[in-house]
Amino acid sequence: MSLRREATEPDHDGGRSPSARARQAQGSWARDAVIYEVYVRSFADGDGDGDGDLLGLVSRLEYLADLGVDALWLTPFYRSPMADGGYDVADYRAVDPLFGTLEDFDKLVAAAHERGLRVVIDVVPNHCSSEHAWFRAAVAAGPGSPERARFHFRPGRGETGELPPNDWWSVFGGPAWTRLADGEWYLHLFAPEQPDLNWTHPDVAAEFADVLRFWLDRGVDGLRVDVAHGLIKTFGAPDPVEGGVTDFGGAETPFFDQDGVHRIYRDWRSILDEYAPERVAVAEAWVPLDRLARYVRPDELHQAFNFEFLRTPWSAPEYRQTIDASLRAMAGVGAPTTWVMSNHDVIRHASRLAAGVGGEPGGVGSSDDATARADRALGLRRARAAALLLLALPGSAYLYQGEELGLPEVFDLPPEARQDPIFARTGGALAGRDGCRVPLPWSGSDPPYGFGTGSSWLPQPPEWAELSVDAQRERPDSTWALYRRALRLRRDLGALGDGELRWHSEPDSAVLVFERPGAPGVVCAVNLGSEAAAIIDGSLVMDGSLVIASDPLTPDGLLPPDVAAWFTR
Ligand code: NOJ
């Protein structure tokens, strides 16, 4: 894995150039990159208003470079009424004043590149904000107007059109249709403030091609494609399961993973390939692995988030199955596998793993007692082991801000503080995702713990003082120290990153042991069982070759439960 310093100015070479093809053949930088998700609103507040922003992030870039990640993915910072944390975009080419200015963004890209960090931004093509100029024009222009054709407007069913056009259900709860005063309904797979765009309309594709170029021209290295599986809808098909979908991809639906989306990504790939240095894109598509692989075929996107670990219970055979299935699915199309334990849509894994169950997007489970009452120490121990597993696997790893501090989910946010539309739209039945979005603790003994000079948009728990970056820097055994060391080793040990995986453990073993061949090779062992275990399986001699462990081994060299270790051989 190498970090190159690259020019911030893209060099257009007009279409699918031979150099772009050659790059693809050599393998993209993203094949083994460690990409750190910055939830901008909660990372660092540069102007003291309680909300994180771009200049706050600039002031903390050194922290990220020192931690040892390769790239940052920034959640949306565009002009937005913030009905869904910025995933409701009112202007795709403007920075919201909450987050700063376009100049701040340019500063950020330049400062990140100076430190060898690449910048990936979020693109939200499935829907915009109801405050977007197009939607406002559509509302004003009335039924049957060309302005409405850029969205999905329909008359209702029933005698007076009082029923929604079909039974599609919003991912955030409630019907996926909202009726305007003039009687027409419009589709929104998420909140009513997020009208879905009609991707069969030529204006939509043309607009997004231009938006992509706007940001690529500003030097971004990659795009994270929001709801990549949602852009094309099949109307007129039978309604999905009764009650609609309750998560992003739990049911086969006429509005997710339709074949037509792939044409869009082929077009986007040819735009990305116009640029040098290389630009990449990662799909957010909640679909089964075999379908996910279709998004990363050679002429489509470079990566797709692999969310399988989010749903995998803490059991060695199940983890192994997930790993094998993931590697197999992506190898089939020659794409790298990605690995994800947490993001801004799911329960932080330091809490989720304590309960041992899989999580789901939308914060499902965050109000479930078993998870809420889960043992913090156990969750952290497993999360530390999971970090070493994640970073030892072949492919690219996504980290979510704060996981390097071992932050738990915040379960007890007061209802009035909660801002996720999931909470309101389900009448509080689902807690939503605010609990994983609480601003980071950087230093000091009182909130906002160095997050900024004012308050923080979500309250931070009192016990976060000891989890702050500064507090953890003091402790050699802290979770921050573990991540930092593991990330350095991942760079230094050539066997890690892209490449092959060979199992040493049996498929039903409670301890996962695999090797990443190389000189030296690296063996990763993770004990997901309940008893300390010997890692030596005859062929592996561990003495003196332990390079890192998530928690200490026993005095006689056994791997305790919920501990992972790397050895060189
Ligand atoms: C996925 C994003 O990660 C999530 O935060 C957002 O609510 C939905 N897409 C809708 O844009």
Side-chain angles (χ1 to χ4, degrees), residues 92-94 102 208-220 275:
Y92 289 90
R93 296 178 187 79
L102 260 185
F208 273 88
D210 199 64
V211 166
L212 297 193
R213 288 200 167 89
F214 178 86
W215 294 102
L216 294 168
D217 286 344
R218 297 194 102 83
V220 305
Y275 286 80

Side-chain angles (χ1 to χ4, degrees), residues 486-506:
L487 286 165
R488 265 147 225 270
L489 285 166
R490 185 177 151 107
R491 275 193 188 157
D492 293 346
L493 295 167
L496 298 181
D498 207 9
E500 205 192 320
L501 173 150
R502 278 187 212 144
W503 288 108
H504 284 280
S505 51
E506 295 301 321

